[in-house]
Amino acid sequence: MTPTALPRRLTSTIFLALAVGAPAWAKTPVATGTGGAVATISEPASQAALAILNKGGNAVDAAVAAAAALGVTDPFSCGIGGGGFMVIYLAKENRVITLDHREVAPAAFQPSAFAPEGKALDYDSAIASGMAVGVPGTVRGWHDALDRYGTMSFRQVLAPAIRVAQDGFRINDNFVKLVKENEKKFALFPATAAHYMRNGQPLPAGTLLRNPDLARTYRLLSTGGVKAFYSGKLAQAIVTAVNRPPAAAGVAVRAGAMSLADLANYEARWRQPVRSSYRGYELVGMPLPSSGGVAIAQALNILEGFDLKSMPREKAEHLYLEASRLAFADRNAYLADPEYVDAPLAGLLSKDYAARRRELIDPTQARPHAQAGDPYPYQQDPSVPLRPASSAKSKLLSESAHTTHLAVSDKDGNIVAYTFTIESWGGSGITVPGYGFILNNEMTDFDFTGPHPNVPEAGKRPRSSMSPTIAFRNGKPAFTIGSPGGSTIITTVLQTIFNHVDLGMPMPDAINAPRISQRNGMATSIEPGFAGSAQATALERFGQRWDAAVEEIGAANAIVFNPDGTVTAVSEGKRHGVGSALVQQRAH
Ligand code: GLU
């Protein structure tokens, strides 16, 4: 029966019920108000953060609460089986600090891990393996963030997520699509297939999905703390799952070599952020081992020399694509774990070096492929690092769109920008039996063969693209932004900043605009519906070419700190099943 067919009184009763019953946090991708704010891709996650803010928790407490809930509702993107990067702004101290809790390679990891006979393995079989699993960093990261800058315990911040895992949540079309796309991988591991599939098919959209195993695991952390993850029974279960992957009978999956000591020894790292400036903004981003902060800063430094505002949009976008291409050429050649590789950061981040790179851009014609530049003369440091030996071309591995990003601020002005992941959709595919979470495949973020700075080594963290970013203006927070999407994370954050700052789009428009991602390939990645559009045709006149395979790119979340003191939380209006933005006191 359609609503119009309902008797009039009944219809108005339903409307009344909707209006009265509509909670202040009804799902919306944009919310403006005062107090704390949160934007995530999952409504239960945003609600978890809001509940913690309403209980007096700060942005760090709320970020961990949201992340734990995302581990339940977005188990293919993120969770305690993975790792991440958190950028924290401490308002009272006016200071930014970052927390690297990236997965590390186990002590027994070999440089030949993904090239056993000198030949790189195919990507799919490398992913679905124990060898792909890095020592998970998420729980250590949550613990360290709470311990140093939070105000609440695991017990308090995990409570909302435990409820979601226990009571269940309705899976949407996007969730079903992800299971469908990963059917083959999930079918390899019975514990994973049992949870997300029935009779070899994905659970249908609308199913109430509970995860009592994960609820129990979170309870274990609530009572036992960080130690309950990195030692004892859970640690043993992780090691067993990695070293003897619980694959279906007759299926051969490569084993890893992780030890209890690898888990017990795992450490997160507090790191200074990457700082750069762009047209009056100070940008603060994630340092190595994420390449995100450096690559974004470099591309913006290149763009800064163009008077983009005076140009037609397509010309400015052509320049955005070319600047990104050049930054990616350097990112691919030089960046890796800073504890293993001395990358020429001062050079890469210098405005003078950016000016040299800018000269390579033809304002009328796309370049097919950019070579890495030479940042060493711009190091301005007598202790010039040794140049890395690189194989002629660094292949851009097919990292696609996964991961999750969330943004939280609190009433005191603290901000957390947090991206975390299990790498591919559904990570390695290996669920730790009985514990309800999937292990990462982060080790495949290494370059499989060298010489290259980002080759596998024991104890090393693979290079990432995650780019949680905070922008300041006149010493005050202006906005924060981040996204999932493998190497397209960098271009999504870059393009959103470009859309907002250069094209003057309000943040919701900057996020919803079609994404075009140039990562030094011949063709630029695009989303469904872009090819053939007027915008695409205009860019083709500059020689820009599009990848035939189209896919949604990223799922950004942002908060804008408005000059009038209000905050606007912004999530995706269209992508990934639409995100959820909430504020503590909604402006009417
Ligand atoms: N592993 C990726 C990275 O660290 C994130 C996963 C993804 O979004 O593909 O950059």
Side-chain angles (χ1 to χ4, degrees):
M1 196 190 277
T2 61
T4 46
L6 288 169
R8 227 168 134 208
R9 257 222 337 271
L10 187 54
T11 323
S12 55
T13 315
I14 292 172
F15 273 113
L16 191 67
L18 281 176
V20 173
W25 39 258
K27 191 174 188 184
T28 166
V30 183
T32 296
T34 53
V38 54
T40 81
I41 210 65
S42 150
E43 194 182 6
S46 292
Q47 286 176 32
L50 194 70
I52 291 297
L53 290 173
N54 287 339
K55 285 196 167 132
N58 70 10
V60 174
D61 303 320
V64 176
L70 279 158
V72 181
T73 62
D74 287 55
F76 310 136
S77 308
C78 61
I80 56 176
F85 295 99
M86 194 182 278
V87 177
I88 304 173
Y89 172 63
L90 301 161
K92 212 159 138 196
E93 298 170 45
N94 198 25
R95 177 163 78 93
V96 176
I97 189 83
T98 76
L99 179 59
D100 158 5
H101 47 292
R102 180 74 159 169
E103 299 90 329
V104 304
F109 211 69
Q110 296 293 322
S112 60
F114 298 120
E117 269 110 46
K119 219 179 126 251
L121 288 179
D122 80 275
Y123 200 50
D124 284 345
S125 45
I127 288 173
S129 76
M131 191 62 88
V133 183
V135 183
T138 297
V139 174
R140 185 86 230 175
W142 291 355
H143 169 270
D144 288 7
L146 288 177
D147 192 46
R148 184 138 348 158
Y149 299 115
T151 67
M152 290 183 166
S153 63
F154 263 172
R155 191 180 54 73
Q156 289 165 296
V157 301
L158 296 181
I162 291 172
R163 265 194 302 281
V164 181
Q166 194 64 50
D167 299 347
F169 66 99
R170 301 253 167 225
I171 63 173
N172 62 15
D173 292 332
N174 194 62
F175 194 99
V176 178
K177 183 175 136 254
L178 293 180
V179 178
K180 185 106 204 115
E181 283 174 13
N182 288 285
E183 258 172 20
K184 254 170 74 190
K185 179 164 73 179
F186 291 174
L188 297 176
F189 303 103
T192 308
H195 193 55
Y196 302 109
M197 300 168 80
R198 288 288 169 282
N199 309 320
Q201 291 298 313
L203 297 169
T207 304
L208 185 73
L209 187 65
R210 297 193 174 89
N211 192 341
D213 285 353
L214 186 56
R216 248 191 327 273
T217 304
Y218 279 171
R219 278 199 200 96
L220 191 68
L221 302 181
S222 296
T223 51
V226 65
K227 277 206 185 106
F229 188 88
Y230 291 97
S231 59
K233 280 197 177 123
L234 176 44
Q236 184 59 60
I238 294 172
V239 164
T240 305
V242 169
N243 296 347
R244 278 184 280 132
V251 174
V253 168
R254 295 184 81 222
M258 195 181 287
S259 69
L260 284 171
D262 287 322
L263 281 154
N265 292 337
Y266 180 83
E267 286 178 359
R269 296 270 194 273
W270 293 104
R271 298 190 192 275
Q272 285 301 309
V274 170
R275 288 174 188 280
S276 59
S277 63
Y278 186 62
R279 302 193 200 280
Y281 289 88
E282 190 199 353
L283 292 170
V284 178
M286 201 63 219
L288 292 172
S290 182
S291 59
V294 176
I296 290 167
Q298 195 190 344
L300 289 173
N301 283 344
I302 294 171
L303 277 177
E304 202 171 36
F306 294 111
D307 183 8
L308 300 176
K309 278 209 155 70
S310 71
M311 297 175 187
R313 175 172 171 174
E314 59 270 23
K315 185 166 178 190
E317 282 181 332
H318 162 68
L319 297 174
Y320 146 70
L321 293 174
E322 295 305 296
S324 179
R325 184 194 300 281
L326 288 164
F328 262 90
D330 286 346
R331 174 243 188 220
N332 297 346
Y334 295 115
L335 300 183
D337 185 341
E339 293 173 21
Y340 286 68
V341 170
D342 197 2
L345 290 182
L348 289 170
L349 291 168
S350 100
K351 298 269 185 197
D352 290 340
Y353 177 59
R356 291 289 84 73
R357 297 295 273 164
R358 192 181 307 126
E359 286 163 5
L360 298 173
I361 294 182
D362 181 340
T364 61
Q365 187 58 39
R367 158 187 296 273
H369 181 82
Q371 301 296 326
D374 183 1
Y376 289 90
Y378 300 87
Q379 279 291 107
Q380 295 167 333
D381 180 343
S383 62
V384 173
L386 292 175
R387 289 159 198 253
S390 263
S391 45
K393 235 197 242 166
S394 159
K395 185 163 73 74
L396 195 59
L397 289 172
S398 51
E399 308 160 47
S400 53
H402 340 88
T403 308
T404 199
H405 176 81
L406 61 95
V408 185
S409 63
D410 64 28
K411 63 174 177 16
D412 297 322
N414 302 305
I415 304 167
V416 174
Y418 183 28
T419 315
F420 79 122
T421 190
I422 55 171
E423 214 306 278
S424 295
W425 292 123
S428 63
I430 304 172
T431 295
V432 182
Y435 289 92
F437 66 92
I438 303 176
L439 290 167
N440 70 82
N441 66 297
E442 217 67 55
M443 298 298 96
T444 61
D445 269 3
F446 283 122
D447 280 60
F448 287 9
T449 55
H452 191 280
N454 187 42
V455 289
E457 290 178 73
K460 193 174 179 182
R461 300 172 192 227
R463 181 189 62 210
S464 170
S465 301
M466 290 187 264
S467 308
T469 304
I470 305 178
F472 296 81
R473 199 171 173 85
N474 303 322
K476 292 206 178 74
F479 61 86
T480 176
I481 172 87
S483 176
S487 53
T488 70
I489 292 172
I490 292 171
T491 56
T492 292
V493 172
L494 174 63
Q495 191 185 359
T496 309
I497 294 172
F498 161 83
N499 285 346
H500 185 58
V501 172
D502 294 306
L503 303 186
M505 295 183 195
M507 191 58 84
D509 298 348
I511 283 182
N512 290 329
R515 294 201 175 119
I516 45 180
S517 172
Q518 173 47 249
R519 307 186 307 288
N520 202 22
M522 294 290 278
T524 291
S525 306
I526 55 169
E527 301 189 285
F530 184 75
S533 66
Q535 196 185 348
T537 312
L539 278 163
E540 283 160 20
R541 284 197 281 275
F542 291 86
Q544 298 294 349
R545 294 290 170 264
W546 318 123
D547 222 323
V550 295
E551 205 181 3
E552 223 175 56
I553 298 174
N557 283 292
I559 300 176
V560 180
F561 303 92
N562 302 310
D564 67 358
T566 59
V567 286
T568 302
V570 188
S571 191
E572 293 285 351
K574 294 182 285 199
R575 297 182 183 90
H576 205 82
V578 182
S580 167
L582 301 172
V583 287
Q584 274 186 292
Q585 290 93 33
R586 192 108 193 219
H588 291 287

